[in-house]
Amino acid sequence: MKLCLPVLSLFVTFVACSTQSSRSFEQISAKATENGLILSQPSFEQSPEAVVATVDSVLVSANAALDAIAGQDPETATFESTFVALDSAAYPMMTVMNRYWLMKETRQEPEIRKACMNQVQRLSEWGVEVEYREDLYQICREVSERIESGDLPKPGGEDAQLYRDIMRDYRRAGFNLNAATREKVAKLKNKLSKLESDFDSNITNASVVLEFPAEELNGVSESFLESSKTDQGRHAVRVTVTPDYMAVMEKCSVRKTRRKVNAARYSIAMEENGPILNKMVRLRSKMATLLGYSNWADYKIEPKMASTGGEALGFAEGLARGLQPKFDAEVSELQKLMAKETGKPNAQIQWWDFRYYQNQLMKSRYSVDSDVLRNYFPLKGVIAGMFDVYQHIFDLRFTQVEPGYKWVDDLELWAVEDATTGEAMGMFYLDLYPRPGKYNHFAQFDIIGGKLLDDGRYQRPVVSLVCNFTPGVGDDPALMNHGEVETIFHEFGHAMHSILTRAKYQRFSGANVARDFVEAPSQMFEAWVWDPEVLQRFAIDWRDGESVIPMETLANMKKAKLATVGVFYRRQMGLALADLRMHVAEVGADAGKICNAANAEVLFEPPANTNFAAYWGHLTGYDAGYYGYGWADSIAADMGTIFENAPNRFLDKEVGMRLRNEIYSVGGSRDADISIIRFLGRERSNDAFLESIGIE
Ligand SMILES: [Zn+2]
């Protein structure tokens, strides 16, 4: 199938890009300055000593600012000189923290990564100390009493949100408890933070490689065999590298190999992280009890949309139950394929089989081969097409500029401006390919958060997308599979959420929203890469430069997706239940066992003597929060219907601008419930989501 128009529109995009790139960062930044905005590139430290020195000096000034807040006369202190001043005092520290978080995952110099890791640890510990500073709490409490008594004006709008949240944080930190109990909580929190950091490092530093002769990797692609070849003529499967792992799980027809790779993956960091996880869960439980909550899930979920552990568990259990018939039907289909292929009528689908037979099902029934589709997704074309979509619906202009410093040679930096007003909105880096020591998933990292500064200027945000796309081989361009296209649309949604902020306080700017809502807009954008109108714009075969992705393939892919969505969401709910149950369990329960049991109940029995949870990065930071993906999916599907029903559907600018103004601009400065209703123009509902996964 050949279409001319999309090729033309792609061509226009490229022209637009090359025209825009004649403007330099300095020009764009100078214009921002004229408008009272700051658009600046982060200054990246170049030695371990510099990494330490920055923190030394930031801590001195932050402590001085905090001392000044605490030392005020309570009679003359105001909302601005306390609550607002706290947001400002934390901001430089948060900026360093964000930058080091990125640097420890992306820098090529191991000694700089290590220094950043240590300083992140130091800053976290300092942050905990600040949270527990009695003098800061007292001045806030006294101002709060004057606000409540009418002596000071009641804060409104975003100020009211700041006031409410800071006072809630103090309560959550235990300031309503006696001094001895509070001291215990602070100690537990410090210990926990150290354990979490160790847990994360063990995941990041893990490297497991299994070698196989070619015949034991039957079914994997030629390119995988080629790139994994060792000097001895065997093939190295990097179990800790997700694309390697998935290649075997989806493609390798040798069951023994799949089982071995699966077991190896679920044993990563098990010796170190298994015991650490149990300690973490125990400390969390103790802390929750001291703070007056029934369990850690209740404590963690309080500031989120779900608001209690029970509400979240109810959602996950209900969805898992609702999916039972769909799940059973899907597994029975996979079973039939397996029986046919193996000649064993009673063959049982196990954990290490389902992805392989799902892939077989795709190929046999839906004739979808994700490797063939890769030719329609050359990375550069996908990114240009994605930029085209986002620029259009949000009325933006992206301009590639030269980074002052590159942590890797092929790093890109883009400035984002409002296309109508020319207002600078922010910048994003693209770090696209894997390398040793780099973060091994796909994520958006904040670097500089948006904030209205004390001098009245607005600091515009800077973020980075950190990706691991497979680079091109020889003269062939880098190609993406459809799942990766979905991923970059998702992650770029986060970048937009961060960059398009107008919140005054860094606490609320960008994607600083309820954690069970933050994924919703990005998950909604995953639907874009299933839409023919959107795909026609960029899914073009790189080999001839004009063949658009065949629409029947797309329709088949959609059917195929629906054919596996039951297993997909049962897996999601298995993880959600594992995470919630370990965080509502009695003290002393084994977290790894709870996790394996939840997965066995809802999905399949994990390989024997493994501990999936030991390599599960979500358990630090997103703990008692995994349900949020499904929860947010439900909101995403609901929000998606607004685009679907708009005159220009997924390319509708009016709805795009409503998303920008009612969701992205406000960030956390308003409760998510309200922002969602403003965007939808009605109350939210789960119907669209249930329908989308085949539950009536
Ligand atoms: Zn996300």
Side-chain angles (χ1 to χ4, degrees), residues 22 35 126 156 172 181 273 337 378 403 413 474 547 664:
S22 60
N35 295 327
W126 177 82
R172 287 169 59 75
T181 313
N273 274 356
L337 279 178
L413 177 61
S547 308
Y664 285 172

Side-chain angles (χ1 to χ4, degrees), residues 588-609:
D590 186 277
K593 282 192 181 135
I594 291 175
C595 184
N596 282 1
N599 280 309
E601 175 191 322
V602 174
L603 194 61
F604 305 103
E605 189 87 44
N609 305 315

Side-chain angles (χ1 to χ4, degrees), residues 338-353:
M338 189 178 181
K340 198 172 155 200
E341 192 187 279
T342 59
K344 294 176 187 157
N346 296 323
Q348 289 290 317
I349 292 283
Q350 300 285 359
W351 197 297
W352 44 94
D353 301 317

Side-chain angles (χ1 to χ4, degrees), residues 490-491 494 519 522 629:
H490 174 114
E491 296 304 336
H494 288 313
E519 294 297 330
S522 282
Y629 286 108

Side-chain angles (χ1 to χ4, degrees), residues 61-71 85-86 89-90 126 130 133 135-136 139:
S61 50
N63 283 328
L66 293 173
D67 290 346
I69 295 169
L86 278 176
W126 177 82
V130 171
R133 269 182 69 162
D135 54 353
L136 289 171
I139 191 78

Side-chain angles (χ1 to χ4, degrees), residues 4 16 55 57 73 141 185 238 262 265 292 403 419 456 484 491 518 551 553 654 668 671 686:
C4 294
V55 175
S57 87
D73 177 356
R141 186 188 55 79
V185 171
R238 295 163 301 170
N262 187 197
R265 173 89 172 185
E484 289 172 326
E491 296 304 336
V518 68
M551 290 308 150
T553 307
E654 190 268 323
D671 281 346
N686 284 330

Side-chain angles (χ1 to χ4, degrees), residues 59-357:
L59 286 188
V60 168
S61 50
N63 283 328
L66 293 173
D67 290 346
I69 295 169
Q72 294 174 84
D73 177 356
E75 293 301 309
T76 55
T78 62
F79 175 74
E80 285 71 26
S81 75
T82 51
F83 291 86
V84 176
L86 278 176
D87 192 73
S88 299
Y91 183 64
M93 189 280 284
M94 278 306 296
T95 306
V96 175
M97 184 85 155
N98 285 337
R99 185 167 71 241
Y100 286 5
W101 202 269
L102 173 80
M103 286 166 65
K104 85 184 174 73
E105 302 291 352
T106 55
R107 286 297 287 261
Q108 302 203 53
E109 309 89 328
E111 65 282 4
I112 292 191
R113 290 203 302 271
K114 186 155 185 279
C116 288
M117 204 164 82
N118 291 337
Q119 294 308 306
V120 162
Q121 177 64 29
R122 182 178 166 204
L123 284 168
S124 313
E125 282 167 16
W126 177 82
V128 173
E129 274 170 36
V130 171
E131 265 183 86
Y132 289 94
R133 269 182 69 162
E134 177 74 28
D135 54 353
L136 289 171
Y137 167 66
Q138 288 305 339
I139 191 78
C140 287
R141 186 188 55 79
E142 290 185 75
V143 168
S144 160
E145 277 169 11
R146 288 175 52 217
I147 289 171
E148 297 306 322
S149 72
D151 184 24
L152 284 173
K154 247 198 159 47
E158 187 172 346
D159 291 348
Q161 203 84 351
L162 185 72
Y163 173 55
R164 181 198 71 182
D165 283 10
I166 288 180
M167 290 313 285
R168 183 183 64 197
D169 283 356
Y170 276 125
R171 179 173 51 73
R172 287 169 59 75
F175 276 93
N176 52 345
L177 305 172
N178 64 49
T181 313
R182 208 189 313 153
E183 178 75 4
K184 274 190 205 161
V185 171
K187 276 199 180 134
L188 287 174
K189 194 160 183 180
N190 248 326
K191 270 195 206 164
L192 181 61
S193 145
K194 172 82 176 71
L195 285 172
E196 288 178 339
S197 169
D198 290 347
F199 187 86
D200 286 342
S201 305
N202 289 335
I203 288 178
T204 309
N205 296 333
S207 172
V208 176
V209 178
L210 293 181
E211 287 191 9
F212 297 94
E215 63 270 19
E216 288 181 16
L217 287 170
N218 249 342
V220 302
S221 68
E222 279 305 316
S223 64
F224 182 82
L225 281 180
E226 190 54 41
S227 63
S228 63
K229 210 170 202 163
T230 67
D231 293 344
Q232 288 74 38
R234 289 165 68 86
H235 299 273
V237 174
R238 295 163 301 170
V239 179
T240 32
V241 173
T242 301
D244 276 25
Y245 169 68
M246 293 301 271
V248 172
M249 298 312 287
E250 288 178 355
K251 309 274 173 59
C252 180
S253 62
V254 185
R255 193 179 195 206
K256 210 175 72 191
T257 304
R258 292 198 307 267
R259 185 184 179 138
K260 200 170 166 186
V261 170
N262 187 197
R265 173 89 172 185
Y266 286 4
S267 308
I268 299 169
M270 187 175 149
E271 298 299 321
E272 310 90 310
N273 274 356
I276 292 179
L277 177 60
N278 278 334
K279 278 187 208 157
M280 272 162 39
V281 169
R282 200 158 53 232
L283 289 186
R284 286 168 179 168
S285 173
K286 275 191 194 165
M287 257 179 78
T289 309
L290 288 174
L291 289 165
Y293 296 81
S294 323
N295 52 60
W296 184 253
D298 272 359
Y299 170 71
K300 277 291 279 203
I301 295 170
E302 184 192 21
K304 301 185 190 183
M305 285 185 76
S307 79
T308 65
E311 180 77 22
L313 262 173
F315 171 79
E317 280 166 353
L319 186 53
R321 230 183 357 258
L323 282 163
Q324 189 74 50
K326 176 102 175 83
F327 176 77
D328 290 344
E330 287 179 17
V331 172
S332 127
E333 284 298 313
L334 300 179
Q335 212 104 283
K336 277 183 211 154
L337 279 178
M338 189 178 181
K340 198 172 155 200
E341 192 187 279
T342 59
K344 294 176 187 157
N346 296 323
Q348 289 290 317
I349 292 283
Q350 300 285 359
W351 197 297
W352 44 94
D353 301 317
F354 80 88
R355 291 185 197 279
Y356 173 75
Y357 287 103

